[in-house]
Amino acid sequence: MIARGRLRALGGCVAVALTLGGLTACETVPPSSSDSAAPALLDVVGKPADKAAELLRNAGYRVALLGGHGEPATASPTRLIVSQTPEGGAKVAAGRTVTLTLGDG
């Protein structure tokens, strides 16, 4: 049997088709979270968690908060952001999720 694959861009997405023995499987892959036309993401590392989350939400992003061991966390004025994904300065479209990791506080 011969496998053949094709890639094709469809309105910002990539469609991948694989044909194997007469059967075709297709997968649509959404564009990456980096969008060259999107604004630069705010850098909130070092800010209090409650203020960082508020800034990002007001800019149109969804926010996920994690504790230092990856557990879900809640925003607090006494806990500072130690990392964020994507990093500040990255081109990220509004509506995407920004994950903030909080330090112990």
Side-chain angles (χ1 to χ4, degrees):
M1 293 185 182
I2 298 174
R4 293 182 307 186
R6 286 185 286 174
L7 292 174
R8 185 172 50 161
L10 298 171
C13 293
V14 175
V16 179
L18 177 65
T19 302
L20 178 63
L23 298 174
T24 300
C26 185
E27 178 78 23
T28 301
V29 181
S32 70
S33 62
S34 178
D35 180 356
S36 61
L41 183 63
L42 299 169
D43 184 353
V44 296
V45 172
K47 296 190 180 316
D50 60 339
K51 297 296 181 193
E54 180 183 5
L55 284 169
L56 291 169
R57 287 184 180 120
N58 288 342
Y61 299 101
R62 288 182 267 179
V63 177
L65 297 167
L66 299 177
H69 300 287
E71 74 281 5
T74 56
S76 164
T78 61
R79 294 181 75 183
L80 301 180
I81 302 301
V82 295
S83 69
Q84 77 179 67
T85 304
E87 293 181 0
K91 302 280 187 172
V92 181
R96 302 269 186 190
T97 299
V98 178
T99 302
L100 304 177
T101 302
L102 288 64
D104 294 329

